[in-house]
Amino acid sequence: MSVGPRTRTLLKTAAAARRLDIAASYEALTQACVFTGDDVAKAELVSDSPNHLWSLGARSRALAIVHPHVDEAWALVKSAQLLKSNRVAVTSPHYTEVRVAADGQAVTFWHRPGLRSPDASLSAWVTALTHRIDAASGPWLGEHDPFSGLLAGLDDAPLDAAVRRFLRERATQLREEWDYLDWPTPDTVVLGTLGMAPVHDDGVHVGLLLRRPLQRGHREWDLVAARWRSELLTGPRDDHRTYADTYLSYEREDRLPPHPYIGAWTGYQVVRDLVVLTAVMDTVRRAHLDTDTRRQAAHRVACLRGAHQAPWNWGPRMEST
């Protein structure tokens, strides 16, 4: 693999399973670049969750995302187009085509968006505008079902039987509570994130960098996801007060929520706990990749089981969306 220095260092220290995972992603990227003419010689793996995000080198104006399925890749491209048509600041595809590798993985290319902005008001801005989009304008939008695939990979995770049993029971409990939630607002377009929407700034433009396709669901999911870290995690926290004030400032008078802030909604804790379980499972299903991820997964499950008092320290790596 002819990759950049950071990825070469990662490959030297990663476990065999993770090296194979990165190699398969890089091979899909290489096949896609044959068609686009981009150079992968200095490609760097930026992130591998929720999908593989690659930088094509400092001189390239593009990022590449490797998707496990072609349907997800096309849905992501259409999601960006839907946002742009509704005047939501979003990173645009660098090419409109989706390239499919021999193993079925798909690759999309995106304009380089700049650095992640720490300004919580920007995240609230793009989230509020997204929630104003009529869900009927995207008939291809999938339903937001947080339980779909939630426990995928659990049986293969290097965790003991008691931990796997706890996670199954926790998911079952939350499923029962979810079915009885009284949603205060109708369906709309949602981001389905696990935190504040990641908005980037290249010095000229700001925009949301989508990593997952938009969905049809309830906006409360996005609002709860934006808040939970400031409540449960130690360390640097996003400014949720700024986020909440900015979000409400973009709401129409006839659509103001019936609660003064999302934490006052009666269904808040159920959705928050499901967002947290989803974040934990994102780490659990990757626990086989290397020792560090396995250790993180075990620690995060222990937090859920009450072994550590909230606010929790989840370590240096915290997946975003």
Side-chain angles (χ1 to χ4, degrees):
M1 292 173 59
S2 179
V3 292
R6 293 195 305 275
T7 305
R8 284 200 300 272
T9 300
L10 172 63
L11 290 169
K12 290 177 182 178
T13 59
R18 194 173 190 201
R19 289 199 301 271
L20 290 173
D21 193 47
I22 295 172
S25 175
Y26 180 78
E27 177 59 27
L29 176 63
T30 301
Q31 291 179 33
C33 288
V34 170
F35 292 96
T36 65
D38 289 285
D39 184 9
V40 298
K42 295 183 179 180
E44 295 280 14
L45 183 64
V46 177
S47 170
D48 60 359
S49 178
N51 39 35
H52 283 205
L53 178 66
W54 291 86
S55 166
L56 298 180
R59 294 185 179 181
S60 174
R61 293 187 297 171
L63 294 174
I65 298 178
V66 179
H67 308 263
H69 308 292
V70 66
D71 289 346
E72 177 192 290
W74 276 117
L76 193 69
V77 171
K78 289 191 286 188
S79 294
Q81 293 169 340
L82 178 63
L83 290 177
K84 192 168 186 179
S85 68
N86 283 274
R87 299 183 179 180
V88 180
V90 62
T91 299
S92 301
H94 198 264
Y95 310 113
T96 56
E97 300 88 353
V98 172
R99 298 296 177 181
V100 184
D103 64 354
Q105 294 190 94
V107 184
T108 56
F109 294 84
W110 304 83
H111 291 296
R112 186 181 290 275
L115 298 176
R116 172 79 179 266
S117 173
D119 188 348
S121 66
L122 293 178
S123 179
W125 170 52
V126 298
T127 303
L129 294 181
T130 299
H131 290 171
R132 296 179 71 163
I133 300 174
D134 182 0
S137 63
W140 46 268
L141 289 168
E143 293 289 340
H144 177 234
D145 178 6
F147 293 93
S148 177
L150 176 62
L151 299 181
L154 179 57
D155 289 337
D156 299 323
L159 303 172
D160 62 47
V163 169
R164 289 196 292 269
R165 183 169 59 252
F166 165 78
L167 292 171
R168 290 193 186 93
E169 291 173 351
R170 185 69 176 135
T172 299
Q173 176 191 357
L174 289 173
R175 171 86 259 188
E176 294 172 354
E177 295 174 346
W178 174 274
D179 289 340
Y180 286 96
L181 283 176
D182 182 16
W183 298 100
T185 58
D187 280 4
T188 188
V189 177
V190 297
L191 298 166
T193 60
L194 299 179
M196 289 189 182
V199 178
H200 294 247
D201 186 350
D202 64 4
V204 179
H205 303 289
V206 297
L208 169 67
L209 177 63
L210 282 179
R211 295 285 297 276
R212 288 174 168 150
L214 300 173
Q215 296 175 305
R216 182 188 296 104
H218 293 282
R219 62 175 175 166
E220 282 74 22
W221 176 276
D222 289 344
L223 299 181
V224 172
R227 184 180 190 268
W228 76 270
R229 298 175 194 227
S230 65
E231 175 185 347
L232 293 182
L233 298 185
T234 59
R237 303 182 185 184
D238 294 320
D239 184 355
H240 188 265
R241 183 69 264 164
T242 298
Y243 178 99
D245 290 344
T246 303
Y247 180 89
L248 289 175
S249 72
Y250 280 89
E251 275 299 273
R252 300 194 303 261
E253 287 294 331
D254 61 337
R255 288 192 53 181
L256 287 175
H259 37 73
Y261 63 99
I262 192 62
W265 173 46
T266 57
Y268 169 76
Q269 185 169 329
V270 174
V271 177
R272 183 203 66 186
D273 290 350
L274 182 52
V275 172
V276 175
L277 180 59
T278 304
V280 171
M281 280 304 306
D282 276 0
T283 306
V284 166
R285 70 174 54 91
R286 297 168 54 248
H288 69 283
L289 293 179
D290 56 49
T291 303
D292 285 344
T293 308
R294 178 177 180 176
R295 197 176 293 124
Q296 287 173 16
H299 176 71
R300 294 177 184 185
V301 173
C303 288
L304 290 187
R305 301 182 76 179
H308 305 279
Q309 185 175 359
W312 307 318
N313 178 7
W314 271 18
R317 291 173 57 190
M318 176 62 197
E319 292 81 4
S320 56
T321 156

